[in-house]
Amino acid sequence: MAVLLYDLATADDRRLSPFCWRTRMALAHKQIAHETVAVSFTGIRGIGDGSYRRVPVVCDEGYWIDESSAIADRLEATRSNAPSLFGGSAGRALSVFVDAWATRLMMPIGRIVVPDIHKLVAAEDHPYFEQSRRTWLGTNYDAMRAQRGEDLERIRRALAPVRSIVAAQPFIGGETPLYADYQVFGLFQWARTTCDVALIERDDPMHPWLERCLDLYDGLGRSCPAYDW
Ligand SMILES: N[C@@H](CCC(=O)N[C@@H](CS)C(=O)NCC(=O)O)C(=O)O
C-alpha cells in the first residue's frame, strides 16, 4: 500500500481524532487509495522513527509527514489532477481561518467529550490520558461534566457563522465540499464517535450539513461506531 494514515483509535476501534478525520476526508476527496493504521495514544511513539507525538501521520510512498494542514498541502500539491481541496488560494486562506476558529472550539468540546473518551481508550492509555487531559483542560472529569450545559451553549453560539453559510448552500465550499468542510466535520466526528451529548439539535440548520458530510465517499464518516444524535 503506497499511502498509510496512522489514525487514533479507541479500544473498540472508534476513530476519534478530529485532525485524523480531516486527513481521512482529504485522502478520500483526492481519491487516494490508502490504508489506515489504528494507534492508541501511547502507541503514537511507535510510529515510524519514533519522533512523532501527534497524529495524523501519513507515510506517502515512503515520505513521512505529520500536521494535518501540512498533509493537506502536500496532497494538494502532489495530486493536482484530482479534485482540489482548496479551490485555489482563497480557499487555502479560508482553511487557515477555519483552523484558527476550530481551535477555539477544542476546549469546550474537549470538556464535554474527554470524560467519555476516558472510558473508551485502551486500558494502558488511562494514566497518560487522564494526566494529559487534566493538564490541557486544567480541570478534572467531575468538573468537566458539571460544566457541560454551559459548554454546549458556548459551542452552539460559536457555530453561528458556519450555520449561516450551510443554511444557504450545501457545503462551506459551495455546491461541493472543500477542506474547510472537513476541518469543521472533524470536530463533529470527535464528539459523535465518543459521546452521546449531541453538539447540535436535530432542527439545527447545521444538521443537514452534517448528514451531507457523513454521506460523502460512500458514507466514510459513518464507517466506525458512533452515536446517532
Ligand atoms: N496540529 C496538529 C494537532 C494534532 C493533534 O493534536 N492530534 C491529537 C489527536 S486529535 C494527538 O495526536 N494527540 C496525542 C496525545 O494527546 O498524546 C494537526 O493539525 O495535525
Side-chain angles (χ1 to χ4, degrees), residues 8 16-23 39-42 44-45 53-57 66-71 99 103 106 128-129 132-133 136 179 190:
L8 194 62
L16 71 161
S17 159
F19 297 100
C20 291
W21 272 108
R22 294 177 179 191
T23 300
V39 283
S40 63
F41 280 91
T42 49
I44 293 174
R45 286 166 186 262
R53 297 293 175 266
R54 298 260 183 275
V55 283
V57 172
D66 66 346
E67 280 292 326
S68 55
S69 52
I71 295 168
D99 190 47
T103 299
M106 294 290 294
Y128 166 76
F129 186 78
S132 61
R133 270 48 200 174
W136 172 42
Y179 190 65
W190 182 30

Side-chain angles (χ1 to χ4, degrees), residues 71-148:
I71 295 168
D73 283 341
R74 176 178 169 84
L75 300 182
E76 185 75 345
T78 56
R79 273 79 171 186
S80 49
N81 290 336
S84 173
L85 283 168
F86 304 119
S89 57
R92 173 72 179 71
L94 169 68
S95 290
V96 175
F97 169 79
V98 173
D99 190 47
W101 173 86
T103 299
R104 295 181 67 102
L105 280 177
M106 294 290 294
M107 286 185 82
I109 298 176
R111 283 191 294 266
I112 291 178
V113 300
V114 157
D116 287 1
I117 294 176
H118 183 96
K119 296 181 218 147
L120 296 168
V121 298
E124 66 266 22
D125 280 354
H126 281 166
Y128 166 76
F129 186 78
E130 181 157 12
Q131 185 270 326
S132 61
R133 270 48 200 174
R134 185 191 278 255
T135 303
W136 172 42
L137 295 167
T139 186
N140 63 31
Y141 293 162
D142 285 342
M144 291 178 209
R145 280 194 204 92
Q147 214 179 310
R148 272 185 171 177

Side-chain angles (χ1 to χ4, degrees), residues 21 25 28-29 171 175-178 181-182 185 209-222:
W21 272 108
M25 299 297 282
H29 183 110
F171 293 100
E175 287 302 312
T176 55
L178 287 178
D181 285 277
Y182 310 143
F185 178 63
W209 166 85
L210 177 60
E211 292 293 320
R212 282 193 286 276
C213 290
L214 287 167
D215 288 341
L216 290 168
Y217 316 119
D218 297 323
L220 177 60
R222 301 184 204 276

